[in-house]
Amino acid sequence: MPAKTAPLLQRRQALGALAALACMPRAFAASSTEAWPSRPVKVIVPATAGGVSDSLARLLCEQMTQNLKQPFVVENIVGATGTIGSRQVAVAPPDGHTMLLITSAVLTEVPHVLKTAFDPVKDLLQVGDLVRAPQVMYAHPSLPAGSIKEVVALAKARPGKLSIVSPGTGNRPHFIIVSFNRWAGIDLQRVPYNASVPAINDVLAGHVPLGIDSLPNVMRHVQAGKLKLIAVAATSRDAAVADVPTMEESGFKFPENGGSQAVYIPAATPMPLAERIHDEIARAFDTPKMRERIANTGYTFSRPTSVQEMQATFRREFDRNGDLVKDLAIKAAS
């Protein structure tokens, strides 16, 4: 081989090798997308079994198992207002086989109050926006108050002695209680629980008279006459309980909750795979069968959106809740 030709050939071989390397991530992403799911998929729910998030996850897993011919299995991991289970997804391999179903507001609220071992914005990617629901103030039927004004009057008559349950710390129910106390000039005693089910059970048993929670979590108990609704924490009445006034109608204004029941995967997941998962979640969830099963639960379906739009909305909510925590001076013990 001529001396001048050898270096030219070597350069061409080197450029060819670099071109092949450049194509590898794209080829890997395509192959991983086509293969997904190649084994059972774990869906972590940071809530107790039997709760609304858990029930929603099981409905979704049932349909995705049917559609994709691989088991989708719910795993309940409770603790630290949902952040323990969330972290397990944040650090999981980014291959689509570990997912998180959680109230998105938890991820945009709690890290501003409690120290977390992960960064929700950097470590998680939202791939499903399922349903939304308002927060409500509810009570045991024996409470001698049926409106916001009557709750305020009762709290003033019993200063520091009226308790209210809060499912978690650093989340929307916690924020509402702190803000409500400040607005009304009262001192409702917040009783924090690690999840909605035990909190609601203590109100059902009459151990605590009041609570704040998502409407679907208390809906069946309200329908059975075991709990009563005081008000909806939203700017407008909810169609599922149209006779229940909003807190704003009594003069108490609180920022609308932008959160939803949502699905997340590790942020490092290749975008083609993330978009495939997003499409499969939408295919499984937005069906007449699913709408029928969720009817009358207090949920409304979220509007269709893309992965990129969900992430932008998630970032805005995270920043907005950080400002809210500062404005209300919310601490874990408040």
Side-chain angles (χ1 to χ4, degrees):
M1 180 181 296
K4 291 183 178 179
T5 307
L8 180 60
L9 181 59
Q10 289 170 355
R11 282 196 297 272
R12 286 176 177 171
Q13 289 173 336
L15 289 171
L18 287 171
L21 285 171
C23 292
M24 281 180 66
R26 198 177 309 169
F28 173 77
S31 64
S32 64
T33 301
E34 291 165 4
W36 181 86
S38 59
R39 61 182 186 277
V41 176
K42 179 167 61 177
V43 179
I44 291 178
V45 177
T48 50
V52 175
S53 292
D54 175 73
S55 300
L56 205 60
R58 293 180 191 280
L59 287 176
L60 181 64
C61 286
E62 177 186 318
Q63 191 61 50
M64 293 189 78
T65 297
Q66 181 179 321
N67 289 354
L68 296 168
K69 312 306 179 188
Q70 282 284 359
F72 281 69
V73 182
V74 171
E75 182 175 339
N76 301 94
I77 301 177
V78 182
T81 316
T83 60
I84 293 176
S86 300
R87 182 183 180 276
Q88 290 205 17
V89 179
V91 301
D95 58 10
H97 291 88
T98 306
M99 299 162 61
L100 171 71
L101 194 151
I102 191 172
T103 303
S104 64
V106 170
L107 298 176
T108 64
E109 295 165 353
V110 176
H112 298 293
V113 179
L114 298 177
K115 185 176 180 180
T116 58
F118 68 101
D119 183 331
V121 175
K122 293 180 180 178
D123 298 335
L124 291 169
L125 178 66
Q126 188 173 341
V127 289
D129 188 355
L130 307 180
V131 287
R132 296 170 180 267
Q135 297 288 318
V136 294
M137 180 181 286
Y138 67 96
H140 189 272
S142 65
L143 184 75
S147 68
I148 287 293
K149 289 182 179 179
E150 290 174 349
V151 167
V152 171
L154 191 62
K156 288 183 175 179
R158 306 176 185 175
K161 294 183 179 179
L162 195 61
S163 298
I164 184 167
V165 300
S166 169
T169 291
N171 57 2
R172 183 68 33 159
H174 183 179
F175 294 0
I176 291 172
I177 293 168
V178 171
S179 183
F180 184 70
N181 274 340
R182 180 183 293 185
W183 167 78
I186 57 177
D187 187 23
L188 291 178
Q189 297 296 298
R190 186 177 76 92
V191 184
Y193 287 71
N194 67 356
S196 290
V197 171
I200 293 168
N201 284 344
D202 267 9
V203 179
L204 286 167
H207 301 316
V208 186
L210 280 165
I212 298 280
D213 213 313
S214 175
L215 174 59
N217 283 331
V218 299
M219 189 69 161
R220 63 189 177 93
H221 302 300
V222 171
Q223 292 170 335
K226 296 178 179 179
L227 293 175
K228 64 181 179 181
L229 294 180
I230 302 295
V232 178
T235 55
S236 59
R237 295 197 183 198
D238 190 277
V241 286
D243 59 330
V244 179
T246 67
M247 288 184 170
E248 193 165 314
E249 288 176 52
S250 297
F252 173 62
K253 295 184 179 182
F254 195 80
E256 190 80 42
N257 182 8
S260 63
Q261 291 289 338
V263 182
Y264 296 82
I265 57 176
T269 305
M271 188 52 66
L273 177 55
E275 290 175 342
R276 165 83 192 284
I277 295 170
H278 166 267
D279 292 346
E280 290 295 346
I281 290 170
R283 182 164 77 101
F285 200 77
D286 191 9
T287 64
K289 175 183 175 182
M290 197 67 77
R291 288 181 179 276
E292 181 181 346
R293 295 177 76 168
I294 291 176
N296 302 316
T297 62
Y299 276 125
T300 57
F301 276 71
S302 300
R303 66 176 181 81
T305 186
S306 67
V307 174
Q308 291 78 7
E309 186 180 352
M310 281 187 286
Q311 201 64 2
T313 300
F314 183 77
R315 178 79 222 205
R316 286 195 300 271
E317 287 297 318
F318 186 88
D319 293 341
R320 188 181 78 160
N321 283 319
D323 293 338
L324 183 62
V325 168
K326 290 177 183 176
D327 291 343
L328 294 174
I330 291 176
K331 307 292 182 185
S334 60

